[in-house]
Amino acid sequence: MKLVDHFQYGLNSPICLTWELTYACNLACVHCLSSSGRRDPRELSTDEAKAVVDELQRMQVFYVNIGGGEPTVRPDFWELLDYAISHDVGVKFSTNGIKLDKRRAAQLAATDYVDIQISLDGATAEVNDHVRGPGSYATAIRALENLAEAGFGQPKISVVMTRQNVDQLDEFKAIADKFGAQLRITRLRPSGRGVDVWDELHPLPAQQKQLYDWLVARGEGVLTGDSFFHLSAYGQALPGLNLCGAGRVVCLIDPVGDVYACPFAIHENFLAGNVRSPGGFAGVWRDAELFADLRRPQTGGACASCSFFDSCQGGCMAAKFFTGLPLDGPDPECVRGFGEQALTARSADTTIPRSDVDHSRSAPRNSRTPKGPVPLALSVRPARDCDESPLAGIALPAGT
Amino acid sequence: MSTNEPVTGPALEAGPVFDPGQPYRCSPSVALRPEPFGALVYHFGTRRLSFLKTPQLVTVVSGLADHSDVHTALDAAGVDPAQRPAYLRALAGLAENGTIEERV
């Protein structure tokens, strides 16, 4: 059996674990995958978070990707960072840069086993701030300047590819080079608030080809988080695993300890359990029914007969789910156009699933009015303490 | 995720000479995590992930420190003579990337 086949049947511990420490965020990016904004009062405490680190150490999870929300706004962020590192759990954290002043930059430059990803979704303030909010470009650049000045070795600039920034790939690379950083580009998913803006922001078919060609020609040393494997059907496979790792080699721990199959799947359908349960995170990873399902051989459904199935594996589960497409059919951005056909074929009363977890501020300063049908909640779950949305838990009639 | 990292395989071009007649050990900077396919290897120095693709290779690597040379470790793990060249190539690759090192 090939290594990648083993991966499909799941591993003893995840290879790539994302841990969102808080839903609190100083920004309100329109495409936020976790609909962050407000802190959740049930957030894991410092001690609970340390207990999770202890467990990761026992499970030999050698590093975690920490995100949020904005993880650095947690007052105990730096304490947890040190705790993880001193327990053999390396940390890569994603930040908008808000807390990376000269002092923190110097502290981080003196710390081993820490990687930093600065989010930047436009190579110019105009393009970036359109999705990430006013001032966010300047904040990110200032953080990069501080890190470079402190001598922090190779931070990453993390870019979500959109219709507005595909043309800026060379400029992103130039910014990365200027600050001694490594460029990382990832795919926009219709997750979290992204469901509201996906139609407007996701790259057009010609841009997808442009992106693929750029990766093939200039992608040496550019990280992708394996997120463009659906583009491999254009021809040459892109470097990486080229498979959906959800629940198999990847998962997410959210700020309240809920464990989801993947960072882009914060929805009760992909909720496997909670780290506060008696078996802890290890119990969820090993025994969750959802994960057992994901680790069974997948049939490929409508895609199985496609000659490119081996290279794209039907694409991204979350992208399908949050556009209302069946999970065993084509990805909405299928490079052969089957996804577009499937999107067009959705009937007027197709419910677009929406996460029941929403920490957006009631009046996000960078929000937009959703266009088209109002997304529906697939099912009702008890309202949470932190649900600020007036629509929380209420299913609206379609087509309003 | 760091799966763009090289998977252990054939020896790379340059680097320290791998001599299976010498005593070796798994690097103290390395942790092996048992997995169904073999083991995941993490090097705390280079922060690289790689993979040992068979359980038998895990036995060999873990057992290196207990044997006078690599050949003896291969014998002790019961490696099929027909497989020996492939295992030696894999071990040369592991020496190259710092997973195993000569014992002094």
Side-chain angles (χ1 to χ4, degrees):
Chain A
M1 190 153 57
K2 288 188 305 182
L3 197 60
V4 67
D5 295 326
H6 280 288
F7 286 179
Q8 299 205 27
Y9 297 114
L11 299 183
N12 293 344
S13 305
I15 290 183
C16 182
L17 173 69
T18 299
W19 184 4
E20 294 180 349
L21 283 183
T22 183
Y23 280 118
C25 192
N26 54 305
L27 297 182
C29 304
V30 295
H31 58 347
C32 179
L33 81 168
S34 55
S35 301
S36 287
R38 293 172 188 271
R39 182 182 168 274
D40 192 306
R42 299 165 308 149
E43 204 166 76
L44 297 180
S45 69
T46 306
D47 286 345
E48 285 175 316
K50 287 181 176 175
V52 170
V53 172
D54 293 342
E55 211 176 357
L56 298 180
Q57 183 181 24
R58 284 194 296 275
M59 292 174 76
Q60 293 187 284
V61 174
F62 301 114
Y63 67 89
V64 289
N65 301 304
I66 285 187
E70 170 52 47
T72 63
V73 303
R74 256 187 87 125
D76 59 1
F77 173 77
W78 308 98
E79 181 184 349
L80 292 175
L81 178 70
D82 288 341
Y83 189 84
I85 292 166
S86 64
H87 286 75
D88 287 346
V89 179
V91 169
K92 176 164 80 182
F93 72 89
S94 295
T95 176
N96 57 46
I98 188 70
K99 297 287 187 184
L100 297 190
D101 56 18
K102 290 185 191 302
R103 184 174 69 92
R104 290 299 185 194
Q107 175 190 342
L108 288 162
T111 309
D112 276 340
Y113 302 115
V114 64
D115 274 325
I116 305 175
Q117 279 181 186
I118 310 280
S119 300
L120 194 68
D121 294 336
T124 53
E126 186 194 5
V127 171
N128 179 79
D129 293 3
H130 181 63
V131 290
R132 301 187 58 82
S136 57
Y137 181 85
T139 300
I141 296 295
R142 191 161 49 244
L144 286 165
E145 284 168 354
N146 290 340
L147 290 170
E149 192 183 305
F152 182 91
Q154 217 183 32
K156 292 160 181 48
I157 295 180
S158 189
V159 180
V160 174
M161 297 313 302
T162 64
R163 198 169 301 176
Q164 289 72 26
N165 69 19
V166 170
D167 284 336
Q168 297 186 314
L169 277 164
D170 286 330
E171 290 161 82
F172 281 118
K173 189 75 170 60
I175 294 174
D177 291 345
K178 178 180 170 192
F179 291 108
Q182 189 173 21
L183 181 59
R184 176 179 188 267
I185 62 174
T186 57
R187 181 179 179 191
L188 172 75
R189 270 80 162 202
S191 311
R193 284 194 294 269
V195 76
D196 295 330
V197 293
W198 188 79
D199 287 345
E200 197 182 326
L201 296 187
H202 81 93
L204 296 169
Q207 293 180 310
Q208 292 214 83
K209 182 68 166 61
Q210 183 184 342
L211 172 58
Y212 172 81
D213 289 341
W214 190 88
L215 277 172
V216 171
R218 307 213 45 200
E220 178 82 35
V222 175
L223 302 171
T224 61
D226 261 10
S227 68
F228 296 108
F229 65 89
H230 67 297
L231 301 184
S232 290
Y234 277 129
Q236 180 187 338
L238 297 167
L241 275 183
N242 293 312
L243 77 96
C244 164
R248 305 172 184 107
V249 299
V250 170
C251 75
L252 166 75
I253 301 176
D254 94 337
V256 303
D258 279 341
V259 180
Y260 294 93
C262 135
F264 300 99
I266 301 181
H267 185 283
E268 61 182 339
N269 285 26
F270 302 106
L271 176 60
N274 189 286
V275 302
R276 284 170 166 143
S277 60
F281 171 69
V284 176
W285 177 259
R286 270 197 305 265
D287 303 328
E289 272 178 53
L290 171 74
F291 288 174
D293 281 345
L294 288 169
R295 292 165 192 169
R296 286 194 189 101
Q298 311 290 306
T299 60
C303 291
S305 61
C306 175
S307 54
F308 294 99
F309 181 69
D310 281 348
S311 53
C312 92
Q313 305 275 333
C316 170
M317 181 179 78
K320 293 186 250 200
F321 184 74
F322 288 115
T323 50
L325 298 183
L327 297 187
D328 61 353
D331 186 287
E333 294 180 298
C334 163
V335 301
R336 301 191 66 199
F338 297 129
E340 277 171 280
Q341 287 173 22
L343 291 173
T344 309
R346 289 178 302 185
S347 67
D349 57 351
T350 298
T351 53
I352 306 293
R354 189 180 183 86
S355 178
D356 51 333
V357 181
D358 189 348
H359 295 77
S360 306
R361 290 184 207 92
S362 48
R365 55 179 176 245
N366 198 28
S367 71
R368 299 170 185 191
T369 309
K371 291 173 182 154
V374 172
L376 305 181
L378 256 196
S379 57
V380 178
R381 195 176 181 184
R384 300 182 168 202
D385 302 343
C386 52
D387 273 332
E388 297 291 340
S389 164
L391 300 182
I394 299 170
L396 296 176
T400 49
Chain B
M1 62 198 283
S2 290
T3 45
N4 297 343
E5 310 301 330
V7 171
T8 56
L12 302 175
E13 299 298 329
V17 179
F18 172 65
D19 179 357
Q22 296 298 313
Y24 274 75
R25 63 173 182 178
C26 188
S27 163
S29 303
V30 156
L32 301 183
R33 184 174 99 193
E35 289 291 351
F37 58 83
L40 190 146
V41 180
Y42 186 74
H43 194 297
F44 285 98
T46 60
R47 291 152 69 180
R48 292 210 148 206
L49 276 180
S50 53
F51 305 96
L52 301 182
K53 293 199 255 181
T54 68
Q56 207 169 25
L57 183 56
V58 182
T59 308
V60 172
V61 169
S62 318
L64 284 173
D66 302 327
H67 295 94
S68 55
D69 57 66
V70 175
H71 290 300
T72 318
L74 287 167
D75 291 338
V79 174
D80 186 328
Q83 290 287 318
R84 189 173 284 250
Y87 272 73
L88 286 171
R89 280 196 303 276
L91 289 164
L94 294 172
E96 168 75 23
N97 70 22
T99 303
I100 62 172
E101 60 187 28
E102 210 174 325
R103 203 163 83 226
V104 282

